[in-house]
Amino acid sequence: MTKWVRLRLVAAAVVLTGLFGALLAKTWSVQIRDGEKLAALGHDQWLHEVEIAAPRGMILDANGVELAVTVNVDSAVAYPREVVDVADAAGKTAAALGMDVREVEEKLASSRQFEWLKRRLSPDAAARVRALGVPGVRLLPEPRRFYPGGPLAGPVLGFAGRDGKGLDGIELALDAHLLGESARLHVIRDRRGDMVMATDLDPRGVAAPPRAPAGATVVLTIDRFVQFIAERALADGVRDNKAKAGIAVVMDPRTGEILAMASSPGYDPNDPATAKEARNRPVVDAYEPGSIMKVFSIVTALEAGAVKPDDPIDVEGGKIQIGKRIIRDTHHGASIISVTEVVKTSSNVGATKIARKLGRDKLAEGLLALGFGKRTGIQLPGEAAGRVRPPETWGEAGLATVSYGYGMQATPVQIASGFAAIANGGQYLPPSVVKKIVDADGKVVFEHTPRARRVLGERASRQMVDMLKQVMTKGGTGEKIALPGFVLAGKTGTARKLDPATKQYSTEHYMSSFMGFAPADDPRLLILVMIDEPHGGLYYGGSVAGPVFAAIAGDVLKYLGVAADAPVLAPAPISAPAAAPEPEVAEIEITADDDVIVIPDFTGLSVGQAVELARARGVKIEIEGAGRAVRQFPAPGRALKSITCHVTFDPG
């Protein structure tokens, strides 16, 4: 062996030994010193944890009809690494989705593994994308909140965002119940990030993704048909009176349950971005209510024994001065009238005189006991508390104005709840829009149980009911609001609105109100209507809000099957005397049960079968789509003949 051979062998041995030593060092570093750290990095690259969202719970009406459900809709997505011809794919995809070509091309040419193209497509758009067959462009199902009734009860239901979380209304207030619990699934991804295997396997070695427990089902006290009646009548009232807005609350005074809560304008929770004013006015808005508050100030005086229904009140010809303030009556110039006539004719001077007899402290106590100045606790977000100022700040003028509804603020739901206490014999029941909540296992986790508290004696309540019945008779401010066959109890209200610019009460802007219940002696239905800033030539509560009350009450009493107080043989228009305080008649004619039909269940039928069944049952039907019926509104059940049933068909 020559010298050079030996040197080369030694050199090779040194190099190999060095390399082997370096390999050992690297192995020690990877396996021992940095082993845990590098294992974690590798683990994060190929093993991922995917969150599986729970299906959001349904919202149902009082009869089990779906008001809010979660459905899967297709979204267009792109996997840029799979796209073969970017320009060609972008052109076809943009045309199918109605998007800008450059925007689509930019996403298809992205270096990212995944790109959203367009979320929550219409069925037609999804079909166009599916027909393209473009490599790298796919449809991905996504959950979407859907409201079958469209704008029906929109401000009450609220809406959920793209992330499935509630943003308004019941969706927000009960979000924790509706959300459910998310589940997690471990998956293995390849170098491109695509899932190739689920690591959560069942005993047979088959991928078994965990099921995310669904959210709870919320059952409301809202009756979708009563809601429909209230919204229709309110929209008509707002339109006919060229008003800024309107409110209607329909309640069962025996339980405190809200059967309908309407706001005009409302909005469609399927597309909340188009809403002009997305708020639930009966709960979040507080107003100076005006003359309807005389009911509460005078019943408090009756309860305290400060006055009796027949006590004479000197109204001084309908005009009284307190300091620099002059208080006037609108409708009469009498001098001596009874307490009952103060309510019947809505005398401001009379209410002032009665409040003086009662005293400011007792009046304040009575208003607070009836629920004013504090939140009712109804299960809706953003509830306003209203305002009753401390009585020591009132003064003589303040005592007078509070007695007839100024110098304080109240929400419509507060007013309706306080009025329901009078209708219910002095028992106050907190208002509720939630009947029960049922979790995914069928367990009832909440159920509305009326818990009454006595705020008035039965005698004072009965006396006020008798007075409210007089309001609806000849000479009363509500005399032209009639439901033939029914005895009504009610109160009108017309309040001037404060002009924020001048800090003075406007002579052009009014809040016109009417609240009433029927039948008067056995109330099944209590309705409050408020019309904000009517500009149709009339502004008195009986003329503006009264007809809306009559329209709602007439149809709802029929729907509920409430028997009339007396048979109606030949209803005829009621003409008012020339001196009547309210210049317009609002009358609803109640006829026989022939006005009520039973809407059948069209689900699963073809268009031809549905039309034939509707014709046989005497039901008006409106067709949307083709194929088999998948949903209808109203749902099967009793309805008025005038209702048209909207049936949606799907070819799927």
Side-chain angles (χ1 to χ4, degrees):
M1 184 179 295
T2 65
K3 178 180 178 180
W4 290 108
V5 171
R6 288 197 299 270
L7 287 174
R8 287 161 62 185
L9 288 173
V10 170
V14 169
V15 171
L16 289 173
T17 302
L19 291 173
F20 185 70
L23 181 61
L24 287 175
K26 185 64 176 178
T27 301
W28 176 84
S29 171
V30 170
Q31 295 293 332
I32 299 174
R33 189 188 69 182
D34 299 327
E36 292 185 5
K37 177 182 177 181
L38 294 173
L41 289 173
H43 184 277
D44 289 342
Q45 286 183 343
W46 58 267
L47 186 64
H48 292 260
E49 189 176 67
V50 177
E51 182 174 318
I52 301 176
R56 192 170 177 83
M58 294 188 295
I59 301 176
L60 310 178
D61 88 333
N63 300 310
V65 178
E66 295 174 349
L67 297 177
V69 296
T70 299
V71 296
N72 281 333
V73 295
D74 288 320
S75 293
V77 300
Y79 295 88
R81 296 179 183 179
E82 298 179 16
V83 177
V84 178
D85 186 335
V86 171
D88 180 65
K92 292 178 179 178
T93 305
L97 295 175
M99 296 177 65
D100 182 73
V101 175
R102 286 173 295 180
E103 179 186 358
V104 176
E105 188 169 350
E106 182 179 338
K107 291 186 176 185
L108 296 184
S110 170
S111 60
R112 299 176 61 182
Q113 297 177 359
F114 174 90
E115 288 280 358
W116 289 105
L117 293 176
K118 194 169 185 179
R119 309 285 291 271
R120 297 176 173 87
L121 304 177
S122 67
D124 290 342
R128 289 195 297 269
V129 173
R130 189 178 292 110
L132 289 177
V134 173
V137 176
R138 304 177 194 168
L139 293 174
L140 184 68
E142 275 197 288
R144 177 189 176 186
R145 202 61 166 164
F146 178 66
Y147 304 89
L152 187 76
V156 177
L157 297 173
F159 56 94
R162 285 186 175 180
D163 59 358
K165 293 184 179 180
L167 299 177
D168 195 15
I170 287 290
E171 294 277 28
L172 172 60
L174 300 181
D175 191 50
H177 291 284
L178 291 164
L179 268 178
E181 299 179 15
S182 298
R184 296 184 179 277
L185 172 68
H186 293 92
V187 300
I188 296 175
R189 295 185 182 274
D190 63 15
R191 64 184 181 83
R192 296 190 304 175
D194 295 330
M195 187 181 76
V196 296
M197 182 183 296
T199 64
D200 295 334
L201 305 176
D202 66 12
R204 297 168 299 170
V206 179
R211 293 186 62 187
T217 296
V218 174
V219 183
L220 303 184
T221 62
I222 299 291
D223 184 309
R224 97 287 182 212
F225 189 68
V226 178
Q227 182 75 27
F228 171 75
I229 292 170
E231 289 188 7
R232 179 180 61 180
L234 183 64
D236 289 345
V238 169
R239 183 198 63 234
D240 294 345
N241 290 284
K242 300 177 182 178
K244 174 183 176 182
I247 292 164
V249 177
V250 184
M251 175 187 284
D252 184 341
R254 304 168 301 174
T255 63
E257 293 184 347
I258 304 294
L259 305 181
M261 182 179 284
S263 300
S264 181
Y267 67 88
D268 187 345
N270 290 305
D271 192 11
T274 61
K276 294 181 179 179
E277 295 183 26
R279 71 179 193 268
N280 191 15
R281 293 173 177 271
V283 171
V284 304
D285 288 356
Y287 307 90
E288 285 185 304
S291 292
I292 54 177
M293 287 303 296
K294 292 171 187 169
V295 172
F296 305 108
S297 60
I298 294 175
V299 79
T300 300
L302 292 170
E303 175 70 12
V307 295
K308 296 188 291 295
D310 295 330
D311 283 356
I313 302 294
D314 184 1
V315 295
E316 303 182 24
K319 181 179 178 181
I320 186 176
Q321 183 166 353
I322 300 177
K324 296 181 179 180
R325 185 186 297 270
I326 297 177
I327 296 173
R328 292 183 174 87
D329 286 340
T330 304
H331 300 311
H332 62 78
S335 293
I336 306 295
I337 61 175
S338 68
V339 172
T340 295
E341 290 173 313
V342 169
V343 176
K344 179 177 180 176
T345 61
S346 197
S347 169
N348 296 331
V349 176
T352 299
K353 293 288 189 78
I354 293 171
R356 283 179 172 178
K357 291 176 178 286
L358 175 63
R360 65 184 187 184
D361 291 334
K362 289 186 177 179
L363 176 55
E365 289 175 10
L367 294 179
L368 292 173
L370 285 161
F372 296 101
K374 55 190 174 184
R375 294 178 179 87
T376 66
I378 195 168
Q379 306 96 336
L380 287 165
E383 183 183 9
R387 186 187 183 203
V388 176
R389 291 182 294 113
E392 58 269 19
T393 67
W394 290 2
E396 281 295 310
L399 173 62
T401 54
V402 168
S403 73
Y404 55 85
Y406 289 90
M408 64 167 292
Q409 291 183 328
T411 66
V413 75
Q414 284 177 332
I415 297 169
S417 300
F419 196 50
I422 296 172
N424 200 36
Q427 298 270 29
Y428 181 92
L429 290 157
S432 178
V433 291
V434 178
K435 185 181 288 286
K436 62 182 176 180
I437 302 174
V438 184
D439 68 15
D441 296 325
K443 180 183 177 182
V444 177
V445 297
F446 168 82
E447 188 162 15
H448 173 61
T449 303
R451 290 185 172 87
R453 72 171 189 271
R454 182 159 291 283
V455 295
L456 296 168
E458 291 187 22
R459 182 179 180 182
S461 299
R462 183 69 254 173
Q463 289 172 336
M464 178 51 69
V465 171
D466 290 339
M467 293 181 186
L468 295 171
K469 287 158 67 175
Q470 290 298 309
V471 171
M472 313 303 292
T473 62
K474 183 177 180 180
T477 56
E479 69 170 325
K480 298 175 187 177
I481 303 166
L483 291 177
F486 285 95
V487 177
L488 305 178
K491 181 69 183 75
T492 60
T494 310
R496 289 183 176 182
K497 295 185 66 176
L498 188 68
D499 188 329
T502 64
K503 305 298 183 184
Q504 300 292 323
Y505 284 99
S506 173
T507 57
E508 297 179 357
H509 303 307
Y510 295 86
M511 177 65 75
S512 304
S513 310
F514 184 86
M515 61 181 182
F517 51 85
D521 296 319
D522 183 20
R524 291 285 308 280
L525 199 64
L526 182 146
I527 303 170
L528 169 67
V529 178
M530 303 179 78
I531 304 295
D532 191 6
E533 296 187 17
H535 289 98
L538 301 172
Y539 58 85
Y540 285 123
S543 299
V544 174
V548 179
F549 164 87
I552 296 172
D555 282 348
V556 175
L557 287 170
K558 289 180 189 177
Y559 168 67
L560 295 177
V562 178
D565 296 298
V568 182
L569 300 178
I574 299 176
S575 58
E582 296 289 344
E584 184 174 349
V585 173
E587 182 179 352
I588 295 295
E589 180 179 328
I590 294 183
T591 57
D593 283 343
D594 291 341
D595 281 347
V596 179
I597 57 173
V598 176
I599 294 179
D601 186 354
F602 294 107
T603 307
L605 300 183
S606 67
V607 173
Q609 290 171 329
V611 170
E612 184 178 348
L613 179 59
R615 185 181 297 114
R617 298 289 181 87
V619 175
K620 300 176 193 173
I621 187 173
E622 184 179 62
I623 304 296
E624 178 184 349
R628 295 283 174 178
V630 293
R631 57 181 174 271
Q632 67 183 79
F633 185 81
R638 286 163 50 90
L640 296 179
K641 267 189 177 178
S642 58
I643 295 299
T644 298
C645 185
H646 184 94
V647 184
T648 303
F649 294 82
D650 191 327

